[in-house]
Every structure is written in structure tokens, then in C-alpha cells.
Amino acid sequence: MTDYMQRDGDTLKYNTAERYYTFTPDVFIKRQAKAHEVRYRQIDGKVAEAAFSRQRIENERDAIAFISKNTVIPVPRLIDRTDEDGVGCLTYELLKGQTFGELYWDLNPEGQQRMENNLTAFIREVLLPELSRIRSKTMGQLSGVVPPPPRVTVYDKRPVWQSRSSSRDRYVYCHNDLDLHNFMIDKETLEVEAVIDWEYSGFFPPEMEFPFWAEGKEASLEEGHCRKMIALLDAAGKLDIIALFPPMEC
């Protein structure tokens, strides 16, 4: 949710509870909130730092380079990455398209349907196949940290999650937040221009890749589903957890 938005000429700035964003005609800047800027509050009024905030922005930095090198999935071009006083900042070349949700309501019904069809085809024919072929015997982000998706921490708030290993390449690379707002769409062709926001990505059981684009966030927060995801994260790699939890239909 956007907490604050300000426009100054050609520059647009806005922030959420833990991220600050700046758009100029040429670049998009995403940075971690500084300690005094974090807006999460506990019952006693003290600031509560967002879980894995620093690790996630570092992971996005690494993931963009990794995905760009190892797949044909389109991602934004990372121009610079800086660290000032412990605050991570990523600078990207500005994409010319819009998010799926922003563009959708500017289109007529025919255009909306064409964009939906293009997105579905991209996910089924490019995105998921490309991610699923990148495998690992160890669970976690590229750095080895295991920050679970937000839907998991709703029901399990442990501060540290243990990585798991498998005797086979059990874990696939997951984006972990494939909601519609993370697909940038070319305004002319209505094709996917880029997949953005790789903060939660890493090697996880394939069942972790929830179809947000089709079912939305509310369905992902259903308790039964979240408990299964927790069991997947806790299961030793040698268990046949595919049999326990069959992969979801795309």
C-alpha cells in the first residue's frame, strides 16, 4: 500500500511502509527505508523492522543478474547498486510500459482480453518453464538466506528459517510474488515487457509458486494453504513432499 506520493516536475516519489521509490524520465530507484522512516509499529508503539528487509533488497540485486544471465525472462536493467549507512538502493533503467493493473483500465474490452491472453501465454510458455529448469539441491535465496513469502509469516513468525537439502535437485527457482502488478506490459504490443520485484525469489519447492496472477492474494492467505507451505519449508529434502502436496494447476 502506498503511504505517500509526491510529484516534482518530471520526478515522482512515493513510499510504502518499508520501501522508497523514485521515478525520473530515465531511471527508477528503489531503496530500503532508513530506520527512522520504517512505518511498522508494534502494540507498544516501537518501530518494528520489516522481516528480512535488508536481505530481500540484496536478493533482488543478485536475482536480476542471475535471471538475466541464465534465462530468457525479461527483467529490468540494473544500472547501479549502492549502500549508504546500511541502506540498500537499486537503480534501474526506466521501463516504458505500465503494470498490468495500471494499463488494464485504459483498454477497451478487446484490448483487455488480448493482454490477458498474452500474459497467460507468457507465464505458461516462457516464465514457468524457464524458472522450473533452474534447479538446486539446497533451499533458499542465492545468498543462502531463507526468507519465506509474506503469506507464510502470517501464521509463522519465527525469525530464522533453516535451509533444507535434498539428494536430488528438488528445489526450483521461484519468483514467489507473481501478482499482476509485477508484470510490466508494453503499451503498444500488450506483451510482457519485464517481470519485476524479485525480492522473495529463490530456490524453493515448486509448490511455493502460487498463481497470484489467476487467483489473487486473498486465496494465497487461506490458512490451509499457508499451513501446507510451512510444512513444505520444514520438510527435509529427502521426503517425497510432492506426493504430500501435489503441484498446483497453473
Side-chain angles (χ1 to χ4, degrees), residues 22-93:
T22 300
F23 293 84
T24 76
D26 301 309
V27 301
F28 162 58
I29 302 170
K30 175 182 186 178
R31 75 165 172 85
Q32 180 185 359
K34 299 175 182 178
H36 71 277
E37 296 171 332
V38 176
R39 297 176 184 271
Y40 289 114
R41 296 282 174 175
Q42 299 176 153
I43 295 176
D44 60 7
K46 295 181 179 179
V47 173
E49 185 176 353
F52 305 101
S53 180
R54 172 65 185 200
Q55 294 95 328
R56 287 190 280 109
I57 205 162
E58 290 178 346
N59 182 62
E60 176 163 307
R61 173 200 65 195
D62 296 339
I64 289 292
F66 180 77
I67 292 299
S68 179
K69 179 180 179 181
N70 294 286
T71 78
V72 298
I73 298 169
V75 294
R77 186 171 76 87
L78 184 62
I79 298 174
D80 194 18
R81 47 194 185 186
T82 59
D83 186 312
E84 183 176 348
D85 297 327
V87 174
C89 181
L90 305 176
T91 301
Y92 293 101
E93 182 178 59

Side-chain angles (χ1 to χ4, degrees), residues 136-138 164-171 236-239:
S136 174
K137 294 180 180 179
T138 304
R164 306 288 176 179
S165 296
S166 172
S167 59
R168 58 192 177 93
D169 292 336
R170 164 71 180 110
Y171 306 107
K238 64 182 180 181
L239 294 179

Side-chain angles (χ1 to χ4, degrees), residues 112-125:
Q112 292 173 347
Q113 187 61 59
R114 182 156 66 94
M115 185 168 66
E116 289 178 359
N117 293 342
N118 290 344
L119 177 63
T120 299
F122 171 79
I123 291 172
R124 291 180 175 175
E125 299 171 14

Side-chain angles (χ1 to χ4, degrees), residues 16-245:
T16 60
E18 58 168 334
R19 294 286 183 261
Y20 277 66
Y21 304 93
T22 300
F23 293 84
T24 76
D26 301 309
V27 301
F28 162 58
I29 302 170
K30 175 182 186 178
R31 75 165 172 85
Q32 180 185 359
K34 299 175 182 178
H36 71 277
E37 296 171 332
V38 176
R39 297 176 184 271
Y40 289 114
R41 296 282 174 175
Q42 299 176 153
I43 295 176
D44 60 7
K46 295 181 179 179
V47 173
E49 185 176 353
F52 305 101
S53 180
R54 172 65 185 200
Q55 294 95 328
R56 287 190 280 109
I57 205 162
E58 290 178 346
N59 182 62
E60 176 163 307
R61 173 200 65 195
D62 296 339
I64 289 292
F66 180 77
I67 292 299
S68 179
K69 179 180 179 181
N70 294 286
T71 78
V72 298
I73 298 169
V75 294
R77 186 171 76 87
L78 184 62
I79 298 174
D80 194 18
R81 47 194 185 186
T82 59
D83 186 312
E84 183 176 348
D85 297 327
V87 174
C89 181
L90 305 176
T91 301
Y92 293 101
E93 182 178 59
L94 185 69
L95 295 166
K96 302 306 180 185
Q98 292 179 276
T99 67
F100 184 97
E102 290 172 335
L103 185 56
Y104 186 85
W105 301 109
D106 292 336
L107 301 174
N108 59 32
E110 181 182 356
Q112 292 173 347
Q113 187 61 59
R114 182 156 66 94
M115 185 168 66
E116 289 178 359
N117 293 342
N118 290 344
L119 177 63
T120 299
F122 171 79
I123 291 172
R124 291 180 175 175
E125 299 171 14
V126 179
L127 181 59
L128 294 183
E130 283 288 286
L131 291 178
S132 65
R133 70 177 179 79
I134 306 174
R135 295 180 168 269
S136 174
K137 294 180 180 179
T138 304
M139 184 176 72
Q141 295 188 336
L142 295 171
S143 65
V145 178
V146 185
R151 64 187 187 276
V152 169
T153 57
V154 169
Y155 295 95
D156 193 322
K157 300 186 183 299
R158 73 184 85 171
V160 177
W161 291 74
Q162 298 298 319
S163 180
R164 306 288 176 179
S165 296
S166 172
S167 59
R168 58 192 177 93
D169 292 336
R170 164 71 180 110
Y171 306 107
V172 304
Y173 205 83
C174 298
H175 180 284
N176 274 329
D177 191 13
L178 290 176
D179 209 338
L180 294 175
H181 62 258
N182 285 329
F183 292 96
M184 297 295 292
I185 308 296
D186 184 289
K187 290 179 284 188
E188 300 298 325
T189 66
L190 303 185
E191 299 281 357
V192 174
E193 180 184 14
V195 183
I196 64 174
D197 199 356
W198 293 80
E199 288 194 22
Y200 286 98
S201 66
F203 291 100
F204 292 95
E207 299 86 348
M208 294 293 295
E209 194 73 277
F210 188 82
F212 289 102
W213 67 90
E215 299 188 25
K217 283 193 181 293
E218 288 189 11
S220 76
L221 294 173
E222 191 275 324
E223 183 173 0
H225 164 72
C226 292
R227 297 294 182 192
K228 287 182 178 180
M229 296 303 101
I230 293 170
L232 283 170
L233 290 171
D234 283 337
K238 64 182 180 181
L239 294 179
D240 187 8
I241 50 183
I242 294 181
L244 288 173
F245 307 110

